[in-house]
Amino acid sequence: MSAHQVLLCFIIWLAIANVTHLLSIADIMAPQSEYTTIRPNPSLRDFVSHYWVSPSGSDGVYTALPDGAIDLVFQVHNTDCNSWVYGTPTARIDIPLQPHCSYFGIRFKPGQNRHFMQPSARELTDNSIVAHEAMDVSLNQISEALLCADGAMLFDELLKSYLNKRLPEPQRIDDAIRLIEAHRGVIRIREVVDMFGQSRRQFERIFLETVSVSAKTFATITRFQHTAQLLTATQKLPLSHIAAELDYVDQSHMSRDFKRLAGVTPRQFTQGHVAFLQDVCFDSDEQ
């Protein structure tokens, strides 16, 4: 069975298992037939945002936009399986894709990659490393799951089994991350520090090590992600309305922040994002 068929079998199995399909910016940016995002087992949802699968095998580029998350990415070609860990970018990055390869990935929730890998998130910012240099979980088992139709069905079980042995402990920094996300990035960092209960310096150090960017940058990225969602919503809103909704000083402020992170203006994003975000784009998740 080819890698293309294996990943398709995985998608079909997940659908039969009634796994909820996620709609996110990634779905907007890629044809549904080429790219699928899938929720993990409920017991993993505090740690994993979603899995994504791209069985198309087409060449091109993947445009990664800042999202505050870290991905474990597998590239499958016939019986070969290679893997990398991609840290969150702080600006748009265009990553070349290899022709005739399928891709499978795990999007960890911000800060939750720490339960599965050795390096601090800070070491991965705007960077990628070969997965076996970073991951604590057995990559051999994951590779076998991707290359075996029966094994693919056990992928959730591999991660659950790993967590059951390690018993991850929640930390105060998780509450800080959730607070920023709940406010869509529109919150004073001083308020987050006060909730955290330690000095500003200690908070910033722990946040940077856990999430890979500063709390202020994470808030900016979170607001950017919500801006992109509103820009591509079914009900089109004026740019001035979106700027006010997300508490930007004005529309120009929103446009400057957006272009710095996405590489294009909000108007260009809404009018022509398909032209530069090609058929495998998986850089955000619906919270």
Side-chain angles (χ1 to χ4, degrees):
M1 179 177 288
S2 70
H4 178 91
Q5 291 171 314
V6 168
L7 291 181
L8 283 178
C9 286
F10 188 31
I11 295 171
I12 293 170
W13 171 75
L14 288 167
I16 293 172
N18 294 317
V19 178
T20 304
H21 179 263
L22 275 174
L23 292 178
S24 65
I25 299 175
D27 296 297
I28 296 167
M29 293 176 175
Q32 293 295 315
S33 61
E34 299 292 337
Y35 179 80
T36 303
T37 52
I38 308 108
R39 281 196 186 278
N41 182 279
S43 64
L44 293 170
R45 291 181 189 174
D46 286 341
F47 313 101
V48 177
S49 167
H50 59 272
Y51 305 131
W52 52 262
V53 183
S54 177
S56 66
S58 60
D59 55 2
V61 297
Y62 154 51
T63 297
L65 300 181
D67 63 359
I70 289 175
D71 282 46
L72 171 60
V73 179
F74 295 88
Q75 178 193 76
V76 183
H77 181 254
N78 294 328
T79 58
D80 295 326
C81 185
N82 299 307
S83 54
W84 300 268
V85 174
Y86 283 87
T88 188
T90 56
R92 169 181 166 173
I93 298 177
D94 293 327
I95 303 171
L97 299 177
Q98 296 300 314
H100 313 301
C101 291
S102 299
Y103 292 86
F104 174 86
I106 304 171
R107 173 75 41 79
F108 296 106
K109 286 192 171 182
Q112 299 307 312
N113 55 285
R114 71 179 188 268
H115 303 298
F116 301 90
M117 60 184 66
Q118 299 167 11
S120 73
R122 183 179 186 177
E123 297 176 50
L124 297 169
T125 309
D126 292 315
N127 191 24
S128 64
I129 60 175
V130 177
H132 71 76
E133 297 176 1
M135 300 300 298
D136 287 331
V137 66
S138 172
L139 292 176
N140 288 334
Q141 286 182 299
I142 294 177
S143 298
E144 289 171 4
L146 290 174
L147 293 170
C148 171
D150 293 332
M153 298 181 185
L154 301 177
F155 193 81
D156 265 338
E157 295 302 322
L158 293 176
L159 295 184
K160 286 195 296 180
S161 175
Y162 177 81
L163 288 178
N164 287 338
K165 294 176 183 177
R166 299 297 179 107
L167 296 176
E169 296 181 3
Q171 298 178 1
R172 293 284 291 173
I173 200 67
D174 297 326
D175 295 329
I177 295 167
R178 285 191 288 267
L179 183 61
I180 293 173
E181 292 176 328
H183 284 79
R184 302 187 297 181
V186 186
I187 186 173
R188 295 183 184 278
I189 301 304
R190 180 74 261 170
E191 296 178 41
V192 185
V193 175
D194 290 343
M195 182 278 297
F196 187 67
Q198 296 188 32
S199 70
R200 178 72 176 255
R201 184 174 181 179
Q202 289 174 312
F203 168 76
E204 291 289 2
R205 176 183 60 80
I206 295 172
F207 198 98
L208 188 59
E209 291 292 329
T210 305
V211 182
S212 83
V213 293
S214 70
K216 182 177 180 180
T217 299
F218 182 71
T220 299
I221 289 173
T222 300
R223 181 158 63 164
F224 158 72
Q225 287 287 325
H226 283 282
T227 303
Q229 289 175 6
L230 290 175
L231 286 170
T232 51
T234 303
Q235 182 180 359
K236 301 300 180 184
L237 299 173
L239 295 182
S240 58
H241 182 99
I242 295 174
E245 174 77 13
L246 293 171
D247 203 30
Y248 286 99
V249 174
D250 52 30
Q251 183 177 322
S252 296
H253 177 206
M254 180 184 74
S255 295
R256 287 194 302 272
D257 269 14
F258 196 93
K259 186 172 183 179
R260 176 167 56 85
L261 295 173
V264 294
T265 67
R267 198 173 301 278
Q268 290 171 324
F269 182 81
T270 56
Q271 293 177 348
H273 62 275
V274 173
F276 69 86
L277 293 168
Q278 300 186 21
D279 65 356
V280 281
C281 192
F282 29 81
D283 39 44
S284 78
D285 181 25
E286 187 178 71
Q287 297 298 326

